[in-house]
Amino acid sequence: MPAVSQLRIATSVDAHAATPRPEHAGIVNGATVTQAEYDERWSFIVAIVAPGRKSQFDGQQCGGSLIDDQHVVTAAHCVAPRSGVLVNPRSIGVVANQRVLDRASAGSGEQRVRAVADVFLHPEFGANDQDGLHFDIAVLRLAEPVANAKTIALVQPGDAAAWGNGAGAVNGFLAGWGNT
């Protein structure tokens, strides 16, 4: 049976919980998203892949959120693994409209890998040896728009009250692909 990676969602994520050690990192107590749930609620999530790999499953390295038909927000460490060293945009691909990644790259939706034209890092992004990553955000501009894109809006400054005004205790969702 071929390896398959399906989009999984965990609810009630505590943003102030202890960061898991890498050997324990993953979506804990997550649930596989059905195709109907994906289509209705989660299709803004894209896979960041290495386009030269033999499949989307083998090349998937990070996730991102489609914020308009041509821009993806992701973690800066996904596209600049060392402070100040930017990955060549041609070495990054984006798979949109795909709930399942598999070794046959047949998946559950679009099969193509979209090219990335530009990568924009937060100007203050950098690894800090003492306390992790700061300003860990990047925007990818796709070489061409995603047709009929379902996107997610960015949080605006006026939305702070809905997110606990920085005091924590607000539950959220965490999504990512996991092996099944």
Side-chain angles (χ1 to χ4, degrees):
M1 174 146 180
V4 174
S5 183
Q6 297 190 50
L7 191 67
R8 297 179 58 81
I9 302 295
T11 60
S12 299
V13 175
D14 181 354
H16 296 285
T19 303
R21 294 191 325 256
E23 65 269 20
H24 300 289
I27 295 183
V28 178
N29 297 325
T32 300
V33 173
T34 67
Q35 188 65 47
E37 291 170 318
Y38 176 82
D39 292 341
E40 180 182 330
R41 189 169 183 188
W42 302 106
S43 59
F44 64 89
I45 299 173
V46 300
I48 311 296
V49 300
R53 298 288 174 90
K54 61 184 174 181
S55 72
Q56 295 169 356
F57 175 87
D58 293 314
Q60 195 267 335
Q61 55 197 28
C62 282
S65 297
L66 199 59
I67 58 169
D68 69 27
D69 65 354
Q70 206 165 357
H71 292 91
V72 172
V73 171
T74 190
H77 73 263
C78 293
V79 294
R82 293 190 319 255
S83 183
V85 178
L86 183 64
V87 172
N88 184 330
R90 290 189 311 256
S91 69
I92 306 167
V94 171
V95 176
N97 301 316
Q98 187 85 300
R99 182 185 68 87
V100 176
L101 304 175
D102 63 25
R103 287 218 162 101
S105 289
S108 60
E110 275 190 17
Q111 296 174 17
R112 65 186 271 200
V113 176
R114 296 174 182 281
V116 173
D118 290 303
V119 176
F120 305 96
L121 297 178
H122 188 286
E124 295 183 48
F125 169 71
N128 182 314
D129 293 334
Q130 299 302 315
D131 57 359
L133 300 172
H134 298 279
F135 306 102
D136 189 14
I137 189 165
V139 175
L140 310 179
R141 185 175 63 81
L142 303 177
E144 60 182 280
V146 176
N148 303 311
K150 290 191 180 177
T151 63
I152 189 163
L154 294 174
V155 175
Q156 300 299 314
D159 297 338
W163 294 99
N165 289 316
V170 175
N171 290 335
F173 295 94
L174 176 71
W177 281 267
N179 294 346
T180 60

